[in-house]
């Protein structure tokens, strides 16, 4: 046996060495069988390594590390008692971290009220209770309206919660719950933390927490009972007091008084005598049949349903003691009208449908569509229109073609029927257009109101648009919001088009109807271009680069029409002058002149379509044409007026200002394209020279006009007029000693290879009216019309979105000015600033645009809620004065901005009486009682209660008694009771003395 034991001992030593080398935490059994095969005797050795940590110990250690990391283990913290309302008005902080128990994840979070405090790392006083125990008895912040449930139940300002992590099962078994409670107890004891710690158990929706708080010689246990139904014996205050007294188990006689705080909550859901949020639809109008429907040019506003779903009235008795109030199963003193404190909160409707938000949201969805017009409407429209156009264009050629014999197959009955069906299908397709014809005509008449005026003369055609442009200029200084949003002026064509397309998209057919309207709009623009009708609702002049690109395109087309009209009118006037000269001379016109005029002659309207024509410059001031001089001198052409009494340097002729071409207007996309082309030329000498030539086209035109107006001029004369700074004059003395002024070109003009010198040498003597046009209005107009025709509906919506957001902000400002809500006014200012940055960026982020639209919807919702509340609270108000109106407005504003509003004066105040009347009306409507003229409270014989049964009852019981023994320290005890229709909850905090028990 001795040898056997020695062998076993040596084996154990070797086994321990291996374990020590690998540093593994394990428990094992080692068995040795030292007997021979025929010897059944054996010995078993069991070795347990107690130096290694278990998973439970690791978890406890990790929790302690987190508490130390958050600095929750300070021995003594000096803080004042929180002021009244601190839990609502103060700021709450939260920090969290994940911890693991084996493979199960927990989340540990620290909730605390941010407040100034004085921390001392000294030694804790024996009589000082932890802050959590002091908070149990605090009466300053009972029933906070918006806080963590543990704050409401226990009045804590700081606590730690351990809850199962995301996607982890709940802690339901009793053994696991006890294990977690043991863990937090060990962590608190080891770290010396005095902050209460809770563990969430059972399902999360039940909100059941078990916790503990430890201090020097004291401990508080937090317990919760949760049931679905309220037991009948505990459905009143007396029964709850019995539970509380039995739980604390105090043997002192008489018992210390129990402080009581009670809150009853009444819910009002049925709103009587309240107006509709929207006017009923008018089916007699063309645009009727829609709830909240408006005429074209306006945006709808408001909710389609009641925005306020519930009003919660909380009646509170804050400081009561046992024996003052009676509440049992037979009788109750708790009358809501006698409650000393009233507070109100409102619950708004979820997913409220607001018309303005819906309009903008649906239009924003168009920006994400990428279909073309052909894909949306089908190729039928485009093919039929193209076929008709081709038939018209080839009409003359068909007249000259020899008649071909018609084959007999074409004369068959089947072919005739097929042709008839095709024609009928085409007519049916036109009749079944996406947009109703009457609606389409109404929209076009709204966009182009000058079309309703009889076009009897050209003067009548132009007076209306000019008057509109004047009015736009008059009111643009007052409203510069479009400059901030890069949209278009209010009531401009682009602005009105955005509103019409938005309404068509929402109410009259969606994307197909929008595409149809856009096609008709482009056709109207082409008609106006071809017939020289100015576009209504656009300011004159070049495109305004501060506006959106689509507005610039419309302005460019209007510039083309204006130039074309002016040129044709000038030619007609010139031709009229020639005709009058012929008549004066007796009609002796030469045949050559007649032949030349006929060869020129197309109609004035079609003349502008020629690419080889010269530019006819406007000369409203009258061109001072000089006649042919003697001696064969060059005839001066294109003179406008003398220039500052100057004369030419090489002659005594006066220097004339020439009639020049106006610079070519450009839109921002053309400027970007031109910049890219110039940048691609590079920095080489040849590229720089070519870039300079491209940029000097206007300079060359002005030089040619100057030469034509001033025969015999030199470059210095041109510089004196065009760039006076580049002509340097100095006083000198001539040969006779008289002072004279001599001038010369500046240094930069004398640089070799100067572009001005090169352009002057190549410039011909050509007046502006015979020069090639710098701005080819025919080409530019066709480019604009092609751009508009090829524009996809999604891109069109993207171009018009700034105008629609502009209109939405204006609408919100108008509605807010009526209701006067400071928070919304501030939000509108912030939204305008945000839109300014968002819409001026190169590429608008759809996600940011969507968030911005949601902000507008939120503001619309708040305004709608304020309007609804004002209508409800003003319905039964007898006193109509400024003081009552101001009080009502302040109260409504507070309801929208604060979670809960205190009614000063409770049920006896003006607001309290209004709320009382609202409940009376709802009660009578619910019980189908007749409405009497006298609804004053206190009328004898009334059987209908003024208030419904309370939807929720909250009762808070507090006292301070010694536990567990009569000689123990007196410690705070607290029980929070919640009694509802489908819930019964008791949240208790019971303290005990751990030193003298």
């Amino acid at each position: 046996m001795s040898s056997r034991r020695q062998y076993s001992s040596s084996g154990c030593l070797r086994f321990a060495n291996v374990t020590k080398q690998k540093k593994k935490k394990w428990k094992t059994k080692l068995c040795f069988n030292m007997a021979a095969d025929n010897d059944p005797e054996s010995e078993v050795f069991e070795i347990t390594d107690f130096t290694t940590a278990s998973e439970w110990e690791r978890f406890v250690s990790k929790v302690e590390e987190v508490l130390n990391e958050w600095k929750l283990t300070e021995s003594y913290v000096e803080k004042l008692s929180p002021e009244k309302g601190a839990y609502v008005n103060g700021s709450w902080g939260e920090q969290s971290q994940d911890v693991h128990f084996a493979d199960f994840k927990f989340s540990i979070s620290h909730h605390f009220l941010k407040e100034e405090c004085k921390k001392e790392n000294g030694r804790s006083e024996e009589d000082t209770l932890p802050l959590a125990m002091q908070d149990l008895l605090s009466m300053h912040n009972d029933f906070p309206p918006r806080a963590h449930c543990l704050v409401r139940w226990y009045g804590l300002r700081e606590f730690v919660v351990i809850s199962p992590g995301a996607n982890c099962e709940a802690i339901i078994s009793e053994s696991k719950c006890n294990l977690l409670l043991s863990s937090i107890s060990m962590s608190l004891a080891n770290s010396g933390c005095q902050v209460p710690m809770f563990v969430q158990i059972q399902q999360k929706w039940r909100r059941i927490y078990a916790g503990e708080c430890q201090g020097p010689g004291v401990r508080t246990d937090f317990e919760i009972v949760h049931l679905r139904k309220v037991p009948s014996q505990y459905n009143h205050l007396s029964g709850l007091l019995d539970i509380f007294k039995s739980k604390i188990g105090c043997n002192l006689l008489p018992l210390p008084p129990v402080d009581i705080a009670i809150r009853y909550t009444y819910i009002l859901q049925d709103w009587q005598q309240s107006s509709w949020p929207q006017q009923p639809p008018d089916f007699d109008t063309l645009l009727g049949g829609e709830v909240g429907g408006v005429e074209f040019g306006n945006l709808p506003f408001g909710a389609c349903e009641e925005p306020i779903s519930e009003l919660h009235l909380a009646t509170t008795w804050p400081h009561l003691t046992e024996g003052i109030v009676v509440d049992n199963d037979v009788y109750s003193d708790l009358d809501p009208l006698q409650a000393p404190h009233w507070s109100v909160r409102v619950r708004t409707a979820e997913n409220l449908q607001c018309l303005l938000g819906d309009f903008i949201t649906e239009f924003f969805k168009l920006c994400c569509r990428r279909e073309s017009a052909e894909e949306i409407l089908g190729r039928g429209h485009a093919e039929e229109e193209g076929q008709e156009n081709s038939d018209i264009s080839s009409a003359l050629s068909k007249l000259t073609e020899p008649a071909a014999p018609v084959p007999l197959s074409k004369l068959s009955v089947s072919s005739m029927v097929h042709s008839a069906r095709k024609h009928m299908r085409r007519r049916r397709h036109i009749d079944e257009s996406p947009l109703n014809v009457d609606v389409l005509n109404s929209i076009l008449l709204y966009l182009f109101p000058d079309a309703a005026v009889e076009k009897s003369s050209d003067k009548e055609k132009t007076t209306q648009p000019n008057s509109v442009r004047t009015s736009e200029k008059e009111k643009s200084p007052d409203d510069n919001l479009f400059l901030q949003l890069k949209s278009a002026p209010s009531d401009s064509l682009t602005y009105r088009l955005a509103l019409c397309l938005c309404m068509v998209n929402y109410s009259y057919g969606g994307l197909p109807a929008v595409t149809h309207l856009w096609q008709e709009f482009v056709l109207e623009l082409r008609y106006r271009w071809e017939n020289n009708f100015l576009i209504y609702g656009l300011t004159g002049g070049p495109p305004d680069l501060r506006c959106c690109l689509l507005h610039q395109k419309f302005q460019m087309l209007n510039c083309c029409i204006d130039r074309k009209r002016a040129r044709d009118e000038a030619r007609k006037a010139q031709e009229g002058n020639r005709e009058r000269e012929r008549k004066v001379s007796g009609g002796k016109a030469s045949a050559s002149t007649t032949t030349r005029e006929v060869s020129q002659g197309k109609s004035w309207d079609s003349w502008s379509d020629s690419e080889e024509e010269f530019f006819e410059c406007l000369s409203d001031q009258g061109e001072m044409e000089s006649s042919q001089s003697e001696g064969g001198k060059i005839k001066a052409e294109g003179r406008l007026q003398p220039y500052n009494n100057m004369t030419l340097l090489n002659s005594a002729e006066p220097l004339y200002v020439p009639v020049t071409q106006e610079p070519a207007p450009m839109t921002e996309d053309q400027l970007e394209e031109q910049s890219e082309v110039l940048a691609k030329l590079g920095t080489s000498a040849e590229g720089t020279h070519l870039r300079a030539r491209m940029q000097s086209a206007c300079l060359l035109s002005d030089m040619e006009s100057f030469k034509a107006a001033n025969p015999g001029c030199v470059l210095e004369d041109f510089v004196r007029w065009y760039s006076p700074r580049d002509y340097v004059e100095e006083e000198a003395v001539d040969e006779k000693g008289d002072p004279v002024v001599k001038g010369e070109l500046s240094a930069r003009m004398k640089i070799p290879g100067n572009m001005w010198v090169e352009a002057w040498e190549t410039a011909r003597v050509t007046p502006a009216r015979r020069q090639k046009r710098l701005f080819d209005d025919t080409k530019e107009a066709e480019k604009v019309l092609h751009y508009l025709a090829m524009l996809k509906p999604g891109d069109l919506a993207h171009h018009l979105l700034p105008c629609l957001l502009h209109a939405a902000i204006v609408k919100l400002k108008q509605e807010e000015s009526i209701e006067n809500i400071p928070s919304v006014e501030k939000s509108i200012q912030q939204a305008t600033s945000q839109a300014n940055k968002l819409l001026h960026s190169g590429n608008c982020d759809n996600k940011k645009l969507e968030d911005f639209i949601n902000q507008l919807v939120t503001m619309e919702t708040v305004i709608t809620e304020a309007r609804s509340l004002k209508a409800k609270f003003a319905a039964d108000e007898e006193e109509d004065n400024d003081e009552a109106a101001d009080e009502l407005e302040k109260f409504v504003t507070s309801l929208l901005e604060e979670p809960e509003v205190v009614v000063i004066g409770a049920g006896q105040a003006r607001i309290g009486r209004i709320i009382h009347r609202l409940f009376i009306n709802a009660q009578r409507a619910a019980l189908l009682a007749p409405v009497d003229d006298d609804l004053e409270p206190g009328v004898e014989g009334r059987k209908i209660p003024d208030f419904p049964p309370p939807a929720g009852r909250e009762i808070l019981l507090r006292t301070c008694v010694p536990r567990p023994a009569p000689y123990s320290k007196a410690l705070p005890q607290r029980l929070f009771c919640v009694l509802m229709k489908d819930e019964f909850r008791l949240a208790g905090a019971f303290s005990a003395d751990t030193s003298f028990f």
Side-chain angles (χ1 to χ4, degrees):
M1 292 296 295
S2 60
S3 62
R4 186 180 303 168
R5 288 172 184 165
Q6 184 179 2
Y7 181 82
S8 300
S9 176
S10 61
C12 291
L13 289 174
R14 288 195 299 270
F15 184 80
N17 290 335
V18 172
T19 305
K20 195 171 184 180
Q21 291 174 1
K22 293 186 177 180
K23 295 183 180 180
K24 292 185 178 180
K25 302 171 183 178
W26 52 276
K27 179 180 179 182
T28 184
K29 293 182 179 180
L30 182 62
C31 300
F32 295 92
N33 187 359
M34 302 304 299
D37 294 340
N38 56 357
D39 187 4
E41 188 177 2
S42 63
E43 294 185 4
V44 177
F45 290 85
E46 181 175 343
I47 300 175
T48 303
D49 189 357
F50 291 100
T51 62
T52 58
S54 64
E55 295 291 348
W56 176 72
E57 291 173 321
R58 291 182 183 178
F59 176 72
V60 173
S61 176
K62 182 61 177 177
V63 173
E64 293 176 13
E65 291 178 6
V66 173
L67 295 178
N68 285 302
E69 181 181 347
W70 290 343
K71 299 181 180 180
L72 302 180
T73 58
E74 303 291 343
S75 59
Y76 179 63
V77 179
E78 182 181 350
K79 293 184 180 179
L80 299 177
S81 178
E83 298 179 356
K84 189 173 183 179
Y87 287 3
V88 180
N89 302 324
S91 177
W92 287 85
E94 180 180 356
Q95 52 186 346
S96 60
Q97 190 171 337
D98 292 338
V99 294
H100 289 79
F101 192 120
D103 57 349
F104 195 92
K105 186 173 74 171
F106 288 92
S107 176
I108 177 171
S109 56
H110 176 216
H111 304 261
F112 57 95
L113 177 66
K114 296 180 180 179
E115 55 183 342
E116 296 182 0
C117 59
K118 179 182 178 182
K119 293 191 175 182
E120 297 180 359
N121 295 329
R123 194 172 179 180
S124 174
E125 299 180 5
E126 295 181 357
D127 296 336
T128 303
L129 295 177
L131 286 177
M133 294 187 182
Q134 300 177 28
D135 293 339
L136 295 177
L137 296 179
S138 176
M139 297 183 181
H140 296 306
N141 293 280
D142 293 341
F143 313 110
R146 183 170 54 192
H148 195 281
C149 59
L150 294 176
V151 177
R152 188 178 184 88
W153 297 337
Y154 300 116
L156 303 175
R157 74 182 91 170
E158 186 176 18
F159 55 93
V160 177
V161 178
I162 298 179
S163 57
N167 303 322
C168 294
E169 60 182 8
I171 307 301
I172 299 177
S173 67
E174 184 177 358
S175 60
K176 291 182 179 180
C177 295
N178 292 333
L179 183 60
L180 284 177
L181 290 174
S182 301
S183 302
I184 65 172
S185 181
M186 290 289 295
S187 301
L188 294 175
N190 295 339
S191 63
C193 176
Q194 296 185 7
V195 176
M197 185 177 295
F198 295 85
V199 176
Q200 186 173 13
I201 57 179
Q202 303 297 325
Q203 294 83 359
K204 287 188 176 182
W205 63 268
R206 298 187 65 181
R207 297 189 300 173
I208 297 181
Y209 297 86
E212 184 177 332
C213 177
Q214 294 185 11
V218 292
R219 185 183 71 246
T220 301
D221 295 321
F222 299 92
E223 305 172 3
I224 289 180
V225 174
H226 182 238
L227 302 176
R228 287 187 177 274
K229 297 296 181 182
V230 181
S232 58
Q233 66 271 27
Y234 305 128
N235 198 23
H236 40 75
L237 177 60
S238 59
L240 297 174
L241 282 170
D242 294 339
I243 295 180
F244 185 57
K245 293 177 181 179
S246 63
K247 180 63 179 177
I248 60 179
C250 182
N251 297 324
L252 292 179
L253 292 176
L255 288 175
V258 178
D259 295 325
I260 304 173
I262 301 176
R263 167 172 287 203
Y264 281 8
T265 302
Y266 301 88
I267 298 179
L268 177 62
Q269 295 177 324
D270 187 8
W271 302 102
Q272 298 296 318
Q273 302 178 0
S274 60
S275 59
W276 285 19
Q278 296 292 336
Q279 293 296 326
D282 185 6
F283 295 96
D284 295 333
T285 61
L286 174 64
L287 305 177
E290 291 284 339
V291 175
V294 293
E295 295 294 330
F296 288 113
N298 295 320
L299 284 176
F301 189 87
C304 295
E305 55 184 330
E306 175 56 52
I308 306 298
S309 60
E310 294 178 354
L311 182 141
H312 293 194
L313 171 64
T315 59
T316 307
W317 294 263
H319 305 297
L320 299 174
T321 56
E322 185 181 2
I324 293 181
V325 64
V326 177
D327 180 42
N328 51 40
D329 55 354
V330 178
Y331 174 78
S332 177
D333 290 333
L334 302 175
D335 184 4
L337 290 176
Q338 304 302 323
H341 292 281
W342 276 20
S343 57
V344 179
R345 69 167 66 186
V346 293
R347 176 173 293 180
T348 58
E350 297 181 358
N351 301 323
L352 183 65
Q353 180 185 4
C354 292
L355 292 177
L356 179 62
D358 287 353
F359 266 58
I360 301 176
T361 302
E362 291 299 323
F363 190 81
F364 175 70
K365 292 179 181 178
L366 293 182
C367 300
C368 303
R369 304 292 293 269
R370 290 294 174 260
E371 300 93 334
S372 63
E374 291 184 353
E375 294 173 348
I376 296 171
L377 299 179
R379 300 183 180 274
H381 280 287
E383 290 179 353
E384 289 174 7
E385 292 176 0
Q387 183 67 27
E388 292 176 2
N389 293 336
S390 63
D391 292 343
I392 295 173
S393 61
S394 59
L396 293 177
S397 62
K398 287 186 177 180
L399 289 176
T400 58
E401 289 179 357
V406 180
L408 294 178
S409 59
K410 297 295 183 180
L411 299 178
S412 62
V413 177
S414 61
S415 63
M416 300 294 287
V417 172
H418 177 73
S419 177
R421 287 179 176 176
K422 184 177 181 181
H423 182 73
M424 292 171 61
R425 190 181 302 113
R426 182 182 305 169
R427 297 300 305 173
R428 190 185 308 115
H429 186 68
I430 295 175
D431 295 339
E432 297 176 357
S433 59
L435 190 59
N436 182 271
V437 176
D438 295 334
V439 176
L440 176 62
N441 292 335
S442 300
I443 297 174
L444 293 178
L445 188 60
Y446 167 72
L447 295 175
F448 304 100
D450 57 333
V453 182
E454 295 183 0
K455 304 178 179 63
S456 57
S457 64
D458 293 341
K459 181 179 179 181
E460 188 173 356
K461 286 179 268 184
T462 58
T463 53
Q464 183 72 8
N466 290 335
S467 63
V468 172
R469 289 195 294 270
T470 303
S471 63
E472 286 294 332
K473 290 181 180 179
E474 289 176 355
K475 76 176 185 178
S476 59
D478 300 332
D479 183 14
N480 60 349
L481 183 59
F482 75 96
L483 299 179
Q484 302 180 37
L485 304 181
K486 198 174 176 60
S487 61
S490 300
D491 202 30
S492 65
L493 176 65
T494 314
Y495 186 91
R496 289 182 280 115
L497 176 64
L499 297 180
C500 291
L501 288 177
C502 182
M503 182 170 290
V504 166
N505 175 63
Y506 189 83
S507 304
Y508 297 102
L511 183 59
V514 169
T515 309
H516 184 196
L517 174 58
W518 176 244
Q519 287 188 342
E520 296 293 336
F521 181 84
V522 175
L523 289 176
E524 176 67 21
L525 293 184
R526 177 168 288 280
Y527 173 81
R528 288 174 175 263
W529 156 249
E530 293 176 351
N531 294 275
N532 288 354
F533 295 147
L534 289 175
I535 301 175
Y536 181 89
L538 295 176
T539 57
D544 190 351
L545 301 181
R546 300 172 300 175
C547 299
C548 63
L549 179 60
L550 196 63
H551 188 74
Q552 297 177 36
K553 294 292 184 182
F554 294 157
Q555 287 182 314
M556 174 66 79
L557 183 59
N558 217 30
C559 287
C560 297
I561 297 175
D562 196 14
R563 296 281 183 93
K564 180 182 174 185
R565 285 171 58 90
R567 186 174 61 257
D568 290 348
E569 289 175 0
R571 285 176 176 169
K572 288 180 181 179
Q574 186 178 4
E575 180 63 21
N577 294 334
R578 291 177 181 176
E579 290 292 337
R580 285 192 295 270
E581 291 176 359
R582 290 195 198 99
K583 292 180 181 180
V584 171
S585 61
K588 298 179 180 181
S590 63
S592 60
T593 304
T594 305
T595 305
R596 183 171 63 254
E597 291 174 358
V598 172
S599 64
Q600 290 177 357
K602 297 186 271 184
S603 66
W604 300 119
D605 293 337
S606 61
W607 180 275
S608 59
D609 295 336
S610 173
E611 297 180 357
E612 302 299 330
E613 66 190 39
F614 293 103
F615 176 80
E616 282 289 355
C617 186
L618 299 181
S619 56
D620 297 336
Q621 299 89 345
E623 296 183 8
M624 302 173 63
E625 302 283 354
S626 63
S627 59
Q628 184 73 24
S629 302
E630 298 178 358
K633 290 184 179 180
I634 301 176
K635 178 182 177 182
E637 296 181 274
R639 287 180 172 179
L640 188 62
Q641 62 186 11
Y643 180 68
N644 294 341
N645 297 325
M646 288 187 179
T647 58
L648 300 179
L649 295 177
N650 295 338
S651 66
E653 292 291 330
L655 189 151
Y656 285 91
V657 176
V659 177
T660 59
Q661 299 191 50
E662 295 182 7
M666 301 183 73
T667 58
E668 63 180 19
D669 60 335
Q670 292 176 323
L671 290 174
E672 292 176 0
E673 183 180 355
Q674 184 185 48
S675 300
E676 292 178 0
V677 172
L678 295 177
K680 290 180 180 179
L681 294 177
T683 57
S684 62
E686 183 180 359
T688 304
H689 184 74
L690 182 59
R691 187 185 302 109
R693 289 182 61 87
M694 293 176 62
Q695 294 176 331
S696 63
C698 184
L699 176 65
L700 181 63
S701 172
D702 293 341
M703 286 181 173
E704 292 181 346
S705 300
F706 188 84
K707 284 186 175 182
N710 299 278
C713 62
V714 293
L715 176 61
E716 286 79 358
D717 294 322
F718 177 77
V719 172
R720 290 165 65 201
W721 164 67
Y722 204 81
S723 180
R725 293 184 178 180
D726 286 315
Y727 188 77
V728 182
E729 292 183 343
E730 296 180 354
E731 294 185 358
V733 180
D734 59 1
E735 298 176 353
K736 298 180 180 180
D738 298 330
V740 294
V741 178
K742 293 185 178 181
E744 61 179 355
L745 296 177
S746 63
R748 77 182 185 97
M749 288 293 177
K750 296 179 180 180
I751 298 176
N754 184 272
M755 183 54 61
W756 285 52
V757 178
E758 182 180 345
W760 180 261
E761 293 175 355
T762 58
R764 299 175 297 178
V765 182
T766 308
R769 61 190 178 91
R770 293 207 303 268
Q771 294 176 8
K772 183 178 180 181
R773 287 180 287 171
L774 292 177
F775 177 65
D776 191 345
D777 51 72
T778 305
K779 180 180 179 181
E780 294 298 329
E782 291 298 334
K783 287 171 62 176
V784 171
L785 291 172
H786 178 75
Y787 174 86
L788 298 179
M790 293 294 103
L791 200 61
K792 295 181 179 180
D795 297 333
L796 172 65
H798 189 76
H799 285 307
L800 292 176
L801 187 61
C803 297
L804 188 60
L805 296 179
H806 175 195
I809 292 177
V810 171
K811 187 69 174 180
L812 286 171
K813 284 185 175 181
Q814 294 174 354
E815 300 294 335
E816 188 278 329
S817 63
I818 299 174
E819 305 301 332
N820 191 17
I821 308 173
S823 61
V824 176
E825 182 181 4
K826 183 179 179 181
S827 299
I828 292 176
Q829 295 176 357
Q830 295 176 350
T832 303
S833 177
Q834 181 181 356
N836 183 15
K837 299 177 182 178
L838 187 61
L839 297 177
H840 277 82
S841 60
N843 296 322
C844 294
D845 188 1
N846 287 342
K847 184 63 173 64
K848 293 182 179 179
L849 284 174
E850 186 177 359
D851 295 339
F852 178 76
I853 293 174
N854 291 334
Q855 294 180 20
L856 300 183
V857 174
T858 302
M859 288 184 276
E860 180 189 12
T861 303
V862 174
I863 295 175
T864 305
E865 293 169 355
R867 184 167 298 170
S868 176
L869 288 173
K870 287 183 179 180
K872 291 173 175 56
F873 282 96
D876 296 326
E877 180 58 31
E878 298 175 357
E879 302 178 13
D880 187 10
N881 51 40
D882 295 340
E883 182 181 356
D886 293 342
E887 183 181 0
L888 175 62
E889 183 175 344
K890 182 179 180 181
F891 180 74
V892 171
T893 303
S894 300
L895 276 179
L896 296 174
E897 297 177 354
E898 300 176 10
E900 191 171 272
V901 181
V902 176
V903 180
I904 301 176
Q908 308 304 321
R910 181 184 293 110
I911 299 296
R913 292 195 300 269
I914 296 176
I915 297 173
H916 185 197
R917 289 178 181 275
L918 291 175
F919 274 98
I920 291 176
N921 295 335
Q923 282 293 97
R924 290 182 175 273
L927 301 176
L928 300 178
V931 179
D932 299 332
D933 294 336
D934 187 8
L935 295 178
E936 290 295 331
V939 177
E940 295 182 0
R942 186 181 68 242
K943 299 180 180 179
I944 300 176
D946 293 351
F947 292 90
R953 292 174 292 167
E954 297 171 290
I955 300 175
L956 177 57
L957 307 176
R958 280 176 292 225
T959 188
C960 189
V961 298
R963 287 184 71 233
Y967 51 82
S968 301
K969 182 187 296 186
L971 298 175
Q973 319 293 328
R974 178 183 175 120
L975 180 65
F976 191 92
C977 313
V978 180
L979 292 80
M980 299 176 67
K981 182 179 179 181
D982 297 326
E983 182 179 0
F984 176 72
R985 183 185 298 273
L986 300 178
F990 305 102
S991 305
D993 189 346
T994 57
S995 298
F996 300 97
F997 56 89

